[in-house]
Amino acid sequence: MSELSDVVVPGSAQSPRSVAWARRRRAAGEVWAAFRRHRQAMAGLIILLAVTVMALVTPLLADRTGLSAVDSLDNPVWASPSGDFFLGTDNLGRSVAVQFLYGSRTSLLVGVAATMLIVVIGSLVGVIAGFIGGWVDSILMRLSDWFLVIPFLPLAIVLARILGPSIWNIIFVIGVTSWPYVARITRAQVLSLRQRLFVERARALGASRRHIVRQHILPNVAPLILANATLAVPIAILTETTLAFLGLGDSRNPSWGKSLEEAYTAGAITRNAWWYYLPAGIGIIAVVLAFTMCGRALEEILDPRLRERR
Amino acid sequence: MTEAVLELRDLHVTYRAAGVDVPAVRGVDLTIGPRDTLGLAGESGCGKSTIAGAVLRLLPRATRVEGEILLEGQDVLKLRPGKVRAVRWTTAAIVFQGALHSLNPVQRVGDQIAEAIETHARTRSRRTTTARVGELLERVGLPARRRREYPHQLSGGQRQRVLIALALACEPALLIADEPTTALDVMVQAQVLSVLEDLQRDAGLALLFITHDLSVLRSSCRRLAVMYAGRIVEEGPSGAVFDEPRHPYARALASAFPTIGDPASRYRPSGLAGDPPDPTALPTGCPFHPRCPVVVDDVCPSLDVRLRPAGPAREAACVHVGGDDDG
Amino acid sequence: MNPRFVVAKVTGAIGTLAFVLAFNFFLFRVVDDNPVDNLFRGRNLSPTQIASLEERFGVGDPLALQFVKYVRQTLQGDLGLSIKSSRPVSDVIMDSLWPTVWLVGTATALSMVIGTLLGIHAAWKRGTVTDSSATAFSMITYSMPDFWMAMVLLAAFAINLRWFPTGGFEDAGSTATGLSAFLDQAHHMALPAITLTLGYIGEYMILMRASMLDTVSEDYLQLARAKGLRDTEVRRRHAVPNALLPLVSLSALNFGYVLSGAIAVEAIYSWPGLGRATFNALEGPDFPVLQGLFLLFSASVIVANLLADLLNGYLDPRVRLS
């Protein structure tokens, strides 16, 4: 970073664009420095890295056949944790540990993919509404008001039931029901940016809308969207979990929520088989907590007004 | 000689922020007698508002306050919390800045005045309190019926009047006006100033007037003190300090504002280069030397000049004052 | 209150309700284009019977006409027939309405009061152990899926400790009346209510803490202190009333979440409310019941929002007198 900013001297051959990028990279460096000093944020990041690594190396640790009841016929059923089965077995003799490992993959995938969808829809709507304004803005904002008011879990349930159980449908459902919040924040940011001098200047110089959005608006809105996306992941993960628990999950790709549903229906509670339902719940809490801590820290760092609240 | 209403003796105030000590006031002596008026001027961050907070012990808990603050002879730094609350508003009251935020937005202004009265005289009946609130509002030039209104229904100047009425609620001996005209436009500023001056004269209050606007102080205060980096750098009769400042900082401050009625003053604005010093890293020697137009290179960076006599009833903290340079 | 403010808010709410009604109609029409087929599948009906039913349900009518019919029927309280039980959907809803009102009402009130008090306390003692432990508690309960908390509490307090019944609305075959019936129901409601309360305390605590911290730095608190008020008086008379204002509208939005949380929690505790009705309707699926429930959920959140707006307008003089 410093190398780049050192190179940028007045009168050098640097293009204005690279100057802007150097400035942004420096700003990102400052955010990262503040993030590193934030204890909660680093704790969250470490948890996230650990879970991500676990999800990635899962195929090396355990074979997918461990998820299949047919392949687990020889195993004891309802076995409590032991040397053979680190987290015990379920009613069909399947290893809970293997389910936990594979569940982390689905839960993370759904959380991150749904959030990307939320961000794409939300920022698109926000940028269009904020930048074009007028009746387009009023219609889009009215629509997002409506979506904010409709209780989104019932809506997600209905949609998921209509579309059928598959993780892609769940991702889609979460994406189309949760975008309004990101849209509102993006729009507010775009509106304030639009007033700022450099956009005025770019417009006066005859820049196209696409150029203004790409070069001036998006790079400036991006950090705030990132913070909000980090806070949207936990909501997406919790929604997936609830949908899966209500029987709307994808049985070929068991998530933590799905395995909680199976534990519940198999009667793990009355049997006191705590090893079946505790791990997945703790996994969900850890990931949700970690994303929330990182997101709140980012928001705090990017929005000086919030720093007071620490 | 009568007892001073407020006397500060070697006052030091040190904030603690993120584990770092931030000296805001570094040894200030001030005396205000009954019915006296003192203006305290300086850039933002020089420590002048900190003094207002220190007198009523309103500073954050982690703040260190040393020295003596004598309010009618008793040291408020040695009072126990209950006594401090009793002294607040009855001996000294503050006229806060009249921006929208100084009044509680969800309470009627009359109730906010009544609250001060009731806090210190619990025996009063509701009716006498209401009458008193009306009377206070009328004294600052507002109709008594406006006590029923909420802050957002009043204009900036009216809110400032309410804040003055509020400060008078318990008939304090000392009024501390902390930037009371800053948020107002010039016309309203003049009105508020005249209300404040009339009240001070009629009610026989002592007044400590804090502002960054030196020209405001010239007419409303008998004496004037200029602060820089947590210390008083010049003090004296306001006309003399304003017209013939001895400290180069006071000179810069005096010429930064045009004198009303003197068109020539507008054509010689002499803005001060540089920023106020960072209180955690004050320059060595005289803290003003990096910005000083008349700096003496081999003296000022090492010599921390304290206040020295600079004419009749005047003091200033500068090497150019006193001795051969005086005159 | 300013009548124009009230009219604007009420019109807005009616507009949103209209949108929800239309959305609800088209959403379910996508999957359920012939309700007669679904309702009477597998029954021996003569072509004339089918024709008369199709006439009644408007199958084959243009979409616009169907929509008009749907709106008219809904406004008259006719939400169609349940596929599973062939009972009117409105009856199914009315049967399970009160248990949910009790449960969600209790949980909302408790979590609001406890969470708000915790938030006030944490903000006033910012940076202390009280603050950090209250914040940690809130973050952790906020991160828990409601139904997982329900499972853990059920296992701990109903299965192992046997302090509470494992589910249901009252003891099986209970004929108790009056106070003993009430106590029995309260005993059954305790665990689900505790679950939902724990699940939503965190939300209120975090919101109230943030709102208080925004208020704490306000100048009028400094003025109140300077007037000689005690710390507790400053907090009670000046800080809390102002900090509570933004919470009014946030609680209305939150009401939707509590209602949603009730779906899985009621299912786990077999609490015979709207949540369990939703859960049951998912099997099948019983689209008319789902459609009716979705409409009810949306409408109640819209009404809650309207009430919050009006309450805010009443409480905040800046809105009331502008």
Side-chain angles (χ1 to χ4, degrees), chain A residues 146 149 153-155 157-158 161-162 241 245-246 260 264 269 272 277 281 285 289 293 296 308-310, chain C residues 16 19 23 28 31 126 139 143-144 147-148 151 155 160 206 209 213-214 260 268 279 282 285 301-302:
Chain A
W146 285 336
V149 169
L153 189 65
L155 175 59
I157 289 173
V158 169
R161 193 67 194 82
I162 289 171
T241 310
F245 182 77
L246 294 175
L260 286 176
Y264 176 70
I269 295 173
N272 257 324
Y277 61 82
I285 295 174
L289 202 59
M293 293 194 294
R296 278 168 54 112
E308 278 288 303
R309 292 179 180 171
R310 229 193 291 179
Chain C
T16 315
F19 167 78
F23 183 77
F28 283 89
V31 284
R126 172 162 66 144
M139 300 257 296
S143 304
M144 280 182 200
F147 63 87
W148 184 75
M151 285 163 74
N160 285 317
I206 290 170
R209 180 178 179 274
L213 288 182
D214 287 346
S260 310
I268 287 179
F279 188 75
L282 281 173
V301 174
I302 292 169

Side-chain angles (χ1 to χ4, degrees), chain B:
Chain B
M1 188 188 142
T2 47
E3 190 179 46
V5 175
L6 174 69
E7 190 174 352
L8 306 180
R9 287 187 191 152
D10 197 27
L11 180 69
H12 284 79
V13 180
T14 312
Y15 291 111
R16 256 193 102 73
V20 181
D21 279 348
V22 185
V25 177
R26 306 180 300 129
V28 163
D29 295 271
L30 270 183
T31 306
I32 304 176
R35 313 179 77 95
D36 200 2
T37 51
L38 175 76
L40 192 58
E43 287 166 300
S44 53
C46 73
K48 55 192 197 305
S49 289
T50 301
I51 291 183
V55 172
L56 289 189
R57 300 223 355 221
L58 293 171
L59 302 174
R61 218 162 281 162
T63 313
R64 219 165 53 232
V65 185
E66 289 149 330
E68 283 175 74
I69 300 174
L70 303 175
L71 253 185
E72 292 191 325
Q74 55 180 345
D75 188 351
V76 292
L77 296 181
K78 295 203 176 78
L79 295 177
R80 53 189 177 77
K83 274 304 264 180
V84 172
R85 282 201 305 274
V87 165
R88 286 177 182 164
W89 232 245
T90 54
T91 313
I94 302 182
V95 179
F96 284 88
Q97 190 180 309
L100 197 48
H101 310 288
S102 286
L103 290 164
N104 188 337
V106 302
Q107 278 184 9
R108 297 175 198 277
V109 293
D111 293 343
Q112 299 186 50
I113 300 176
E115 187 181 42
I117 299 171
E118 283 161 354
T119 300
H120 295 286
R122 293 181 190 278
T123 50
R124 271 177 189 269
S125 76
R126 189 75 222 179
R127 189 184 295 169
T128 47
T129 308
T130 310
R132 171 86 177 127
V133 169
E135 192 186 302
L136 283 165
L137 286 174
E138 277 166 359
R139 267 172 84 185
V140 296
L142 286 174
R145 63 183 153 77
R146 306 212 68 165
R147 66 170 184 272
R148 295 176 175 284
E149 297 193 350
Y150 290 92
H152 75 275
Q153 294 172 294
L154 303 173
S155 71
Q158 289 167 337
R159 279 199 295 271
Q160 191 62 64
R161 286 161 190 259
V162 168
L163 284 166
I164 296 173
L166 181 52
L168 295 172
C170 302
E171 291 157 0
L174 171 68
L175 213 56
I176 302 174
D178 191 2
E179 305 265 10
T181 57
T182 304
L184 307 174
D185 59 56
V186 183
M187 282 295 290
V188 185
Q189 255 186 36
Q191 292 170 8
V192 169
L193 274 180
S194 79
V195 168
L196 208 54
E197 284 165 20
D198 291 350
L199 282 170
Q200 188 273 324
R201 208 177 39 245
D202 301 345
L205 297 164
L207 178 68
L208 174 60
F209 197 131
I210 298 172
T211 178
H212 65 279
D213 186 347
L214 210 58
S215 62
V216 165
L217 297 176
R218 185 178 194 264
S219 56
S220 22
C221 294
R222 191 180 68 83
R223 293 180 64 75
L224 225 161
V226 177
M227 268 188 95
Y228 187 79
R231 277 196 199 147
I232 290 175
V233 294
E234 174 151 8
E235 198 198 334
S238 56
V241 174
F242 192 76
D243 295 334
E244 287 175 68
R246 307 299 306 276
H247 192 283
Y249 175 68
R251 209 173 297 144
L253 210 56
S255 54
F257 294 94
T259 316
I260 294 170
D262 175 14
S265 68
R266 280 196 222 175
Y267 300 106
R268 45 176 169 81
S270 72
L272 201 52
D275 295 320
D278 173 5
T280 56
L282 288 176
T284 56
C286 170
F288 186 60
H289 83 262
R291 299 168 80 188
C292 184
V294 292
V295 62
V296 181
D297 282 334
D298 50 350
V299 182
C300 298
S302 55
L303 181 67
D304 189 5
V305 190
R306 305 306 294 260
L307 283 172
R308 43 172 88 168
R314 294 187 67 175
E315 286 184 302
C318 180
V319 284
H320 295 291
V321 171
D324 301 335
D325 290 318
D326 193 9

Side-chain angles (χ1 to χ4, degrees), chain A residues 49 132 138 165 199:
Chain A
L49 285 177
I132 296 180
S138 347
V199 179

